[in-house]
Amino acid sequence: MKRSMDRRNFLKSVTGAATAVAATAATAEARDATGVAEVSPLAAPSSIPTRRTLRLALAWPDNAQGFSDFCRQFAARVSALTDGTISISVDANQRDGLEAVSRGDADCYCGLEHHHRVQESSLSFFAGLPGRNAMTGQVFHNWLTVGGGQAHWDNVAASLGMKAMAIAHSGPRAGLWSRVPIDSLKALTGRTVFAEGLGEDVVRALGGEVYSGPSDTVSTALADGRLFAAEPGGLMAAVAAGLPTHAYRHSGPGINRHGVVAAFGIRKSIWDTLSDGERAILESAAAANYHETLAFAASYDALMTKACKTQHNIAFEELTREVQDAIDRVSDIIVAHVAASDLHAQQINASYMTFRDASQSFDAAAPTATS
């Protein structure tokens, strides 16, 4: 019996599987001794979480800069909050993430909804509109969360088999980066310009040519003269793209004057299999990531501006009233055309514009520090 007890103690000291063997052996020994099996309490069944690895199509190079870095932060946040039960593997330079998901090459994407406007033009409302139609990054998120914007986005995304949410913002103070002054509309005529989304349509309407190269080549294209001007988003996005190294001027307020929004989209068939808790984690991770990018841009705006001026001799200038008015006029026409494309777009436009106008009225009526 002593030998049996020793064997049992030994088995208890190793792995959980061996412990189970020890319990079986103890029961057999008890039956041999008394003819009656001892009954041990049943262990509580262990709950092993389902582990998922989502294949993510990243619209940009995976170079730890700008939106690429923010998407990586989001992926790390999701992994940490789910204790590793949801992990995300990245496939970079997949500009059309929605197409990658449709092909079955990815489960989700990080990119601008502008990149998917061929599939659904109204998605541009969720990426940042040009001209005076633009919302600031904070007002845009307010529209999503309390103004009905997310519900509209859900409807459009669901029609494409997706669930999408905002995860990052390029920051404010968008402008055109160039090596020579943009002092008139004539300066843009026939010139090649990089802009995002509906900004491309604005460039064409102003008589310019749209740069068709990858976004990570914009800085070098500006340096070697293939590109006349570039607007990748806000100041933070431009610094991440390396534009201050090769530009001499920043002319604002630009085309997409309040910057652009990066989205995370996941195949809806996968989203529907997630638990309520997992969905809540993804949504809270997206919101936290988005607001962190806004905070970063706001906190470092002055420092980035100073560095651009002192280290790169960038001249910060206002676009002429002629150019600004032209951007606003053509932007209004372009957005109205998108808004009229179908019933979904009409509803989204009505919601967006009502909320934007109300926010602007509130800002105008708000008391200032000196009033």
Side-chain angles (χ1 to χ4, degrees), residues 13-92:
S13 69
V14 290
T15 66
T19 302
V21 174
T24 302
T27 301
E29 291 167 358
R31 180 184 291 111
D32 291 342
T34 66
V36 179
E38 293 180 357
V39 179
S40 301
L42 291 175
S46 60
S47 177
I48 302 175
T50 301
R51 292 188 176 272
R52 305 169 185 264
T53 298
L54 302 176
R55 299 166 299 158
L56 183 140
L58 180 66
W60 305 278
D62 194 12
N63 57 8
Q65 298 182 44
F67 277 136
S68 171
D69 188 36
F70 298 148
C71 290
R72 276 291 187 182
Q73 287 179 11
F74 172 73
R77 194 174 243 122
V78 169
S79 179
L81 290 174
T82 61
D83 199 23
T85 60
I86 298 179
S87 59
I88 297 176
S89 65
V90 174
D91 183 12

Side-chain angles (χ1 to χ4, degrees), residues 173 235 301-312 316:
R173 293 229 296 146
L235 179 60
D301 182 82
L303 289 176
M304 288 187 289
T305 301
K306 183 178 180 180
C308 287
K309 290 179 177 179
T310 59
Q311 297 178 24
H312 301 289
F316 283 78

